[in-house]
Amino acid sequence: MNGLGVPLATPFDDAGDVDHDALATLVTWVTDRDVDFLVPCGSTSESELLTADERAAVVGTVVDAAPADVPVLAGTGSPGLRETLEATERAADAGADGALVVTPFYYDHDEADVAAYYQEVADASPLPVYLYSVPAYTGHTLEPETVASLAPHPNVAGMKDTTGDLGSFQRIRAATAGEAFDLFVGSGSVLAPALDAGADGGVLALANVAPERAAEIVERHAAGDDDAARAVNRDVVELDYAVTARYGVPGLKAAMRSRGVPAGTVRSPHRPVDDDAVAVLEALVEDAL
C-alpha cells in the first residue's frame, strides 16, 4: 500500500446503529477523490465503540463497496492477543488486504512485551500486519528500535505513526530502510514534511472531509514539486487540527456534513459539537477547499 489512506468515519443512524448504506456511499465519495486505500475500524472510525460483530460487518461493507484496485487495511487491534487475532481472521474472511494493529492498551506494557506481542500477532495473522503507534489514545509510543526489530518479520508489512514527531519518524525510516516496510504518517499537519522524510504516504482523518486536498499533497510531492506540496499542507493545517485535536470525531463528522458527506451521527459517549463549533468548522472547510 502507498499514497493516501483514509481512516473511514463510521456513520451511525439516529438510533445509534451502523448505517451501512451511508458507509458504502462514503467509500464511493472518497475513492472518487483520489484516495488510494481505505482503513475501516481505526481510531477515527470509533472502532472501540463497535462490537466485534459490528467491526467485522463494517469491514465487509467497505470491502464490498471499494473499487477492485483500492486495498482495504482493516483495524483489528484490541488490548489482548486473542481478540486481535479473532478480529484479524474475521477481517481476512471479509476480504481485507491487511491488518492495522494498534499497540495493546489499557494495561501498561514495556517495549519487550509489546515487541513479543507483535511477533505473536504476525506469526498467526492471515493478513500482512501493519503496526500502529497512536500514543494520544494508548499512552504508548513504539520506539524506533522496537520497529526495527519487527520490520524483518515476513508478515510485518509496515506501520502507521501518529505521534507527529518527525524526529522519531525519521529514525524509524532510517532503521527500516533495508526492509520492505511501508511507513505511513498519521498526522495530516505534517504530511508534506513526512513525505520529504521518506514516508510512503499518510493515513489521515483529514481525508474524510477534504480527500482531494490531501491527495494533492501526495501527488505534488510525487511529481517533485515539494514547495507546492508544503503550500497545500499549510492550507489545510487548521482544518486538520480542528477535526483531530480540537474537536475530535464529533468535529470531523460535522465538517463532513458541511460538505454533504454521509457522516451520520456519533456514538455515545461522544456528543455532537455545538452550533458555534459547527460554524467554525464550516468556515475552515471553506478556507481549505
Side-chain angles (χ1 to χ4, degrees):
M1 298 186 197
N2 58 71
L4 178 62
V6 52
L8 287 163
T10 305
F12 300 104
D13 62 24
D14 291 340
D17 297 321
V18 177
D19 187 337
H20 287 274
D21 290 340
L23 178 59
T25 301
L26 175 60
V27 168
T28 300
W29 189 82
V30 296
T31 54
D32 283 348
R33 288 160 177 80
D34 297 327
V35 164
D36 296 301
F37 60 100
L38 303 167
V39 188
C41 299
S43 302
T44 303
S45 313
E46 299 172 85
S47 58
E48 292 307 316
L49 306 182
L50 299 172
T51 68
D53 287 344
E54 286 175 329
R55 288 177 73 162
V58 163
V59 174
T61 294
V62 172
V63 169
D64 290 345
D69 60 345
V70 176
V72 175
L73 175 60
T76 63
S78 286
L81 177 67
R82 290 192 179 192
E83 305 97 308
T84 295
L85 289 178
E86 178 182 348
T88 303
E89 288 165 2
R90 294 181 74 170
D93 290 343
D97 301 286
L100 181 67
V101 179
V102 70
T103 54
F105 53 94
Y106 190 82
Y107 296 108
D108 290 332
H109 304 285
D110 64 23
E111 282 292 282
D113 290 342
V114 172
Y117 164 81
Y118 273 121
Q119 289 277 354
E120 291 176 307
V121 172
D123 286 345
S125 172
L127 294 173
V129 172
Y130 285 75
L131 318 177
Y132 181 19
S133 183
V134 56
Y137 291 147
T138 66
H140 190 102
T141 302
L142 275 176
E143 297 297 332
E145 295 82 4
T146 303
V147 179
S149 74
L150 294 166
H153 193 292
N155 206 30
V156 173
M159 176 179 176
K160 177 185 177 183
D161 175 22
T162 312
T163 63
D165 183 343
L166 283 174
S168 176
F169 187 90
Q170 292 190 84
R171 291 179 62 208
I172 293 169
R173 181 75 290 171
T176 59
E179 307 294 339
F181 190 82
D182 302 328
L183 183 57
F184 299 111
V185 66
S187 302
S189 61
V190 295
L191 175 57
L195 292 170
D196 289 341
D200 294 294
V203 179
L204 311 175
L206 175 70
N208 282 283
V209 62
E212 59 271 77
R213 302 269 25 220
E216 186 180 356
I217 298 169
V218 176
E219 290 162 2
R220 287 184 178 275
H221 181 272
D225 196 349
D226 296 346
D227 288 342
R230 288 189 289 270
V232 176
N233 210 155
R234 288 192 294 272
D235 289 343
V236 300
V237 69
E238 289 300 326
L239 175 60
D240 179 73
Y241 177 77
V243 300
T244 55
R246 185 175 181 186
Y247 296 114
V249 173
L252 173 69
K253 287 189 167 181
M256 293 168 67
R257 287 192 296 271
S258 78
R259 295 200 68 186
V261 183
T265 188
V266 291
R267 179 169 274 188
S268 183
H270 286 315
R271 293 291 183 269
V273 294
D274 60 26
D275 290 344
D276 289 342
V278 168
V280 169
L281 289 158
E282 289 176 348
L284 288 171
V285 169
E286 185 176 351
D287 289 345
L289 297 177

